[in-house]
Amino acid sequence: MTRLHPSRRLRWFTGPALAAVLTLGCGVKTWNPTVLTPDQPIPANSDGDLLKVHMLSGELYLLEEWSVRDQAAALVGNGTLYDVDRVGRGEGEYTIPIADIALLEANNAETVGRLGKSGLTAFSALTGAITMICLADPKSCFGSCPTFYSVDDPDRPLAEGFSASFARALEDSDLDRLRVRADAGAFSLIMRNEAQETHAVRHVRVQAVPASGVDDVLMTHEGDFFASSRRIAPNACTASGYDCLADVGTRDDVEYAPRTADTDLAVREEVILDFGDVSGDVGLVLSARHSFVTTYVFYQSLAYAGESAGDLLAALERGDQGVEDRVLGIARELGGIEVFVAGDDGVWVPVGEFDEAGPIAADQQVIPIGDPNGQSLRVMLRMARGSWRIDEARLAALGPRLQAITIEADSVTADSSMDDRAFERLLDPDQHLTTVSGDAYRIWFTLPQGDEYELFLDSRGYYYEWMREAWLAEEDASLAASVLLQPGEALKQMAPGFKEIEPEMDRLFWSSRFRR
């Protein structure tokens, strides 16, 4: 058997956290990517398949042949064992308990799909099919967690699920407004994997808020629901001398979307909203989404990590001390949309923050403010310039709290046929539904009789990004260390590169969606 050496590691100062510098994903070394048009399926490739098995102990197996046995309790394969210092300790056949695995890496997209369907819960992909758009500009490739659509409009995303859960260790739930009001009876959503990623979906539910006689239902970041009777548009909106009133006065897909600063992606800007005299209990309604700054920063960070990204992600999965805090440093540096209200003395008082991850579909949240008692109300939004796109920034009169009803899925179909396996996995709290590029499911629900409902998507899971071969040419240990240890400096380093592709990134990103 030919001895295969795993990827070299970065020096200790890069830390085990580099693989997850943003709330967006991770990847590892690639081999022989295939050039496809966006509508072609990923081909099977059995020659040269490799599997890296990162253990919770820190050891690593590199397997050339393997199979899942004992009802998915063990992985059996032929290959080489390396210790925590990546010194070879032997070759042969190994039986590896699934429970002791931190992360699996495969160099073939079909392999990832097969492993996930075998019941393994840790996986990543070394390479997948690369669309022509992605080859032209790899930093502009479509990237997303699961995207959700209505049957009536299958090209316009309603929501994207658990955008911040870029690794198994960070699995979390996500609640998004669907902008759908529905009567009792059958309701369905289409869930797609349209990116070069592997998704592990634990559940997809609908939170249905009874809304008969209610003009609108608003949700806070914490998941509380309020009845709302009216919207109040600002009298004025200014940002660095720009009149942004037409951009944020209503939710109409006309967004306030400034360009980034030339030399620093973390430079702050302030948007001032003047509402005049206001009475009653109100909240600021924000409808917003990330720009492609976070996508680019994530991809660039992967490029800096290069061949070591898989080892570093495995350390995150093992829960090595300090990893999670350090990996989120650059995300904190970019930050969310901070909301302030001007006090009587003119001092800006913080009242909340909007920080919903993801560039695909805008989410809507309300930040409660209270009762201004007929006084003039001025609100300031502070954020990294060009990092957010704001569609709506209006006040809403807040009524009583409302209670949601949790609706589980009734059934799941794929290619117009019942998919009992997918349905069972979405209902089983101990399992995940694994999806790879091009997978699509229609998920069915039944809304209770006796009311109409405002609907919110409740999804939970995690995902892994697939590495692109083109990124490896930019591997740089010192810049990788900067992402972890000096995230502010890293964002300055990345600014010129993003500025070069900023005008075209929107078009390229959407053109590289992967659908079978």
Side-chain angles (χ1 to χ4, degrees):
M1 181 184 298
T2 303
R3 190 173 201 150
L4 301 171
H5 198 279
S7 303
R8 63 183 182 277
R9 299 193 299 173
L10 297 178
R11 298 178 184 176
W12 68 270
F13 59 75
T14 63
L18 182 60
V21 291
L22 275 185
T23 55
L24 287 171
C26 182
V28 287
K29 185 178 178 181
T30 67
W31 285 274
N32 300 323
T34 303
V35 178
L36 300 175
T37 58
D39 58 344
Q40 286 181 288
I42 299 174
N45 176 19
S46 58
D47 295 332
D49 283 5
L50 299 172
L51 186 68
K52 287 184 182 179
V53 184
H54 296 266
M55 305 302 292
L56 292 172
S57 64
E59 296 176 311
L60 180 141
Y61 295 88
L62 189 57
L63 305 180
E64 293 177 303
E65 299 174 350
W66 62 88
S67 62
V68 179
R69 299 182 187 175
D70 300 331
Q71 297 182 330
L75 185 67
V76 178
N78 291 307
T80 305
L81 169 64
Y82 298 86
D83 64 18
V84 294
D85 295 318
R86 298 303 179 256
V87 175
R89 293 303 184 191
E91 299 179 7
E93 182 176 277
Y94 297 95
T95 299
I96 307 167
I98 298 299
D100 296 338
I101 297 174
L103 178 75
L104 297 176
E105 299 179 88
N107 69 331
N108 185 305
E110 291 292 326
T111 297
V112 175
R114 289 196 304 270
L115 289 170
K117 290 176 173 61
S118 297
L120 301 186
T121 58
F123 40 74
S124 183
L126 305 178
T127 186
I130 298 178
T131 66
M132 296 298 293
I133 291 290
C134 289
L135 283 181
D137 195 335
K139 302 287 176 54
S140 298
C141 290
F142 187 89
S144 169
C145 4
T147 42
F148 293 85
Y149 298 81
S150 72
V151 177
D152 295 332
D153 194 351
D155 291 318
R156 178 186 174 85
L158 291 175
E160 53 186 311
F162 49 83
S163 303
S165 302
F166 58 86
R168 182 178 55 162
L170 299 176
E171 179 179 333
D172 203 358
S173 296
D174 188 20
L175 190 62
D176 299 280
R177 182 169 186 170
L178 288 173
R179 296 176 69 181
V180 171
R181 183 167 289 204
D183 294 324
F187 171 77
S188 65
L189 288 169
I190 298 173
M191 180 181 73
R192 291 195 180 114
N193 184 332
E194 302 178 291
Q196 304 289 317
E197 298 173 355
T198 300
H199 300 162
V201 185
R202 189 179 292 275
H203 73 235
V204 175
R205 300 167 180 160
V206 167
Q207 296 294 336
V209 181
S212 294
V214 176
D215 289 345
D216 200 5
V217 178
L218 299 174
M219 177 189 71
T220 68
H221 178 72
E222 293 75 23
D224 296 320
F225 300 98
F226 289 88
S228 177
S229 57
R230 62 190 174 97
R231 290 282 206 280
I232 305 170
N235 297 323
C237 174
T238 57
S240 303
Y242 170 72
D243 184 350
C244 47
L245 185 60
D247 300 333
V248 304
T250 186
R251 188 167 187 181
D252 56 5
D253 296 328
V254 176
E255 300 172 313
Y256 173 64
R259 293 290 173 86
T260 56
D262 292 339
T263 58
D264 187 352
L265 295 178
V267 167
R268 260 40 184 182
E269 69 165 346
E270 296 175 350
V271 176
I272 307 299
L273 304 164
D274 190 339
F275 291 95
D277 297 341
V278 177
S279 296
D281 193 16
V282 297
L284 181 72
V285 178
L286 279 179
S287 299
R289 60 188 172 117
H290 269 130
S291 72
F292 296 116
V293 169
T294 49
T295 301
Y296 178 86
V297 169
F298 160 56
Y299 288 164
Q300 187 62 66
S301 299
L302 287 181
Y304 291 159
E307 296 181 7
S308 298
D311 289 332
L312 300 175
L313 179 60
L316 173 66
E317 298 291 5
R318 290 195 297 267
D320 289 4
Q321 186 174 4
V323 169
E324 186 173 335
D325 184 63
R326 293 177 69 187
V327 303
L328 297 178
I330 203 164
R332 287 193 298 268
E333 196 74 23
L334 286 171
I337 303 174
E338 299 174 275
V339 181
F340 301 82
V341 171
D344 294 337
D345 55 1
V347 175
W348 292 106
V349 179
V351 294
E353 184 175 10
F354 182 101
D355 197 10
E356 178 72 15
I360 305 298
D363 197 13
Q364 183 190 79
Q365 296 175 6
V366 63
I367 294 92
I369 290 176
D371 186 353
N373 295 312
Q375 301 298 309
S376 177
L377 178 63
R378 296 173 69 231
V379 176
M380 179 175 71
L381 310 179
R382 186 165 65 193
M383 70 205 97
R385 180 179 171 185
S387 191
W388 290 93
R389 296 177 170 184
I390 302 175
D391 188 15
E392 176 186 19
R394 293 191 290 171
L395 291 182
L398 296 185
R401 288 177 182 261
L402 302 173
Q403 295 296 318
I405 303 170
T406 301
I407 310 295
E408 298 280 3
D410 282 335
S411 61
V412 177
T413 59
D415 297 324
S416 301
S417 299
M418 298 294 295
D419 193 323
D420 293 336
R421 176 190 166 278
F423 174 61
E424 291 169 2
R425 284 183 171 268
L426 286 179
L427 288 188
D428 187 339
D430 296 324
Q431 297 203 58
H432 296 85
L433 171 61
T434 303
T435 74
V436 294
S437 294
D439 286 350
Y441 296 91
R442 187 173 181 181
I443 306 173
W444 292 83
F445 307 88
T446 299
L447 304 178
Q449 296 295 321
D451 215 320
E452 65 174 359
Y453 302 90
E454 192 72 36
L455 303 183
F456 297 80
L457 174 69
D458 177 3
S459 60
R460 183 178 181 86
Y462 66 94
Y463 67 101
Y464 288 113
E465 184 73 37
W466 297 0
M467 189 69 155
R468 279 71 158 177
E469 186 176 33
W471 296 344
L472 296 178
E474 299 181 61
E475 181 174 354
D476 189 307
S478 63
L479 292 176
S482 179
V483 169
L484 280 178
L485 304 179
Q486 296 179 301
E489 291 301 313
L491 291 172
K492 293 177 183 178
Q493 291 277 351
M494 295 180 191
F498 181 75
K499 292 299 291 185
E500 288 184 9
I501 67 172
E502 188 174 19
E504 284 291 293
M505 191 160 182
D506 194 291
R507 180 184 64 82
L508 294 172
F509 182 87
W510 287 102
S511 297
S512 63
R513 273 195 293 182
F514 192 97
R515 294 189 183 184
R516 289 178 181 168

